[in-house]
Amino acid sequence: MKKHLYRITLLTIAAAVLSACPSKRIKNLPEVDTTTVKGPDRPTGTPDPAGTTVSGGGATYTVVSHQELPHWSTQHFVKSLQSFRLGCEKLKNRAGWQDVCAQAMQTPLHHFQAKHFFERYFTPWQVSNNGNPAGTITGYYEPVLLGDDKATGKARFPIYGIPNDFVSVPLSANLRGSKATVRIRQTGANSGVIDNSGTHTADLSQFPITARSTALKGRFEGSRFVPYYTRNQINGGALNGKAPILGYAEDPVELFLCTSKVQVV
């Protein structure tokens, strides 16, 4: 990898930076580029030629041309450049990013100039599973929920903390496909273990166990350990008086997406 060459993968540049599958095509593009860059071009480094391959972590990375990116010529390059400039507020203070961020700031907000900027300062890499283009990729982000620490006319949807009757019980891999009934022993306010000396029984066939499950999520009900309330039950008030309310969100859909994918902090 060459110094000062800023690389992003095919999937990243297509999906995250430039939205490679736009719902609308850009219309009425100017046929002639009459804009000029404000200031001298910054150094770009020496890009690896198309076809360069690097392997690691079970994946293969191959340099491809920008024209191989889906819908490359009709991307919203100006919007992408504007977003990149916002990112440069922090990136510009990191080693290796000063030149490309400076170039971004002096590049006119014009379709062709913005397109040229990305083509000159970034190299697309195609990621494959050792030659197989099919696969999945995991991304992380920090969501922001609009809301308040108290209920208001706009912030009406409670964000719950851990309920006082919620219990997590570690599940061993050999029990993931089991439909047996096991005994549960409580070990703490919100914890328990599978133990033959336990005072509660749990019917594993009643729990939503998958091949990746590592714990049973439930609550004690009489002498049984049962699955915890469903989302519909929670929305219907099952947690009333049982869980602290951390705040109130304005948008129930954003709250759902946040709590179903990430931990609210």
Side-chain angles (χ1 to χ4, degrees):
M1 296 185 180
K2 309 297 190 299
K3 186 176 180 181
H4 301 311
L5 176 61
Y6 309 97
R7 300 170 172 171
I8 45 183
T9 66
L10 170 64
L11 293 180
T12 304
I13 194 172
V17 179
L18 299 175
S19 303
C21 297
S23 57
K24 297 181 179 179
R25 297 174 65 88
I26 297 178
K27 299 179 180 179
N28 303 321
L29 291 178
E31 296 182 359
V32 179
D33 180 9
T34 59
T35 60
T36 57
V37 175
K38 302 174 183 178
D41 285 349
R42 302 286 173 151
T44 62
T46 304
D48 290 316
T52 299
T53 298
V54 177
S55 298
T60 299
Y61 305 84
T62 304
V63 175
V64 298
S65 69
H66 290 86
Q67 285 62 42
E68 292 182 62
L69 297 173
H71 310 288
W72 176 250
S73 63
T74 57
Q75 294 305 311
H76 294 270
F77 293 105
V78 170
K79 292 182 178 180
S80 297
L81 179 57
Q82 290 173 320
S83 296
F84 185 75
R85 284 180 175 183
L86 292 176
C88 277
E89 290 302 315
K90 291 186 177 180
L91 288 176
K92 66 183 180 182
N93 297 319
R94 299 183 183 180
W97 286 95
Q98 291 88 347
D99 285 327
V100 70
C101 282
Q103 187 69 36
M105 295 303 176
Q106 69 184 35
T107 298
L109 293 177
H110 180 280
H111 176 81
F112 291 109
Q113 288 286 5
K115 177 174 180 286
H116 177 68
F117 165 78
F118 287 109
E119 290 178 341
R120 184 171 185 182
Y121 290 90
F122 292 88
T123 299
W125 291 73
Q126 183 180 47
V127 183
S128 67
N129 182 14
N130 291 325
N132 181 5
T136 58
I137 189 168
T138 299
Y140 296 91
Y141 75 109
E142 184 176 284
V144 176
L145 284 176
L146 298 179
D148 206 313
D149 58 356
K150 58 183 180 298
T152 67
K154 293 182 63 177
R156 300 180 291 111
F157 307 97
I159 304 171
Y160 293 107
I162 299 177
N164 56 31
D165 63 341
F166 173 82
V167 177
S168 178
V169 176
L171 181 70
S172 59
N174 65 300
L175 288 177
R176 289 174 185 164
S178 174
K179 304 298 181 182
T181 296
V182 297
R183 302 194 72 85
I184 306 295
R185 175 170 60 84
Q186 188 167 9
T187 58
N190 299 104
S191 62
V193 294
I194 296 175
D195 190 324
N196 289 333
S197 65
T199 57
H200 296 76
T201 59
D203 181 355
L204 297 184
S205 67
Q206 300 301 307
F207 287 80
I209 300 173
T210 70
R212 300 177 63 181
S213 296
T214 59
L216 300 175
K217 311 293 186 179
R219 57 190 174 85
F220 293 115
E221 184 181 80
S223 62
R224 299 184 303 149
F225 182 68
V226 298
Y228 204 71
Y229 298 113
T230 64
R231 185 172 295 276
N232 284 338
Q233 290 173 317
I234 292 174
N235 290 340
L239 293 188
N240 291 348
K242 296 179 180 179
I245 296 179
L246 307 178
Y248 294 84
E250 294 182 6
D251 189 330
V253 176
E254 291 293 334
L255 176 60
F256 167 77
L257 294 175
C258 181
T259 56
S260 65
K261 297 298 182 183
V262 300
Q263 179 181 3
V264 178
V265 294

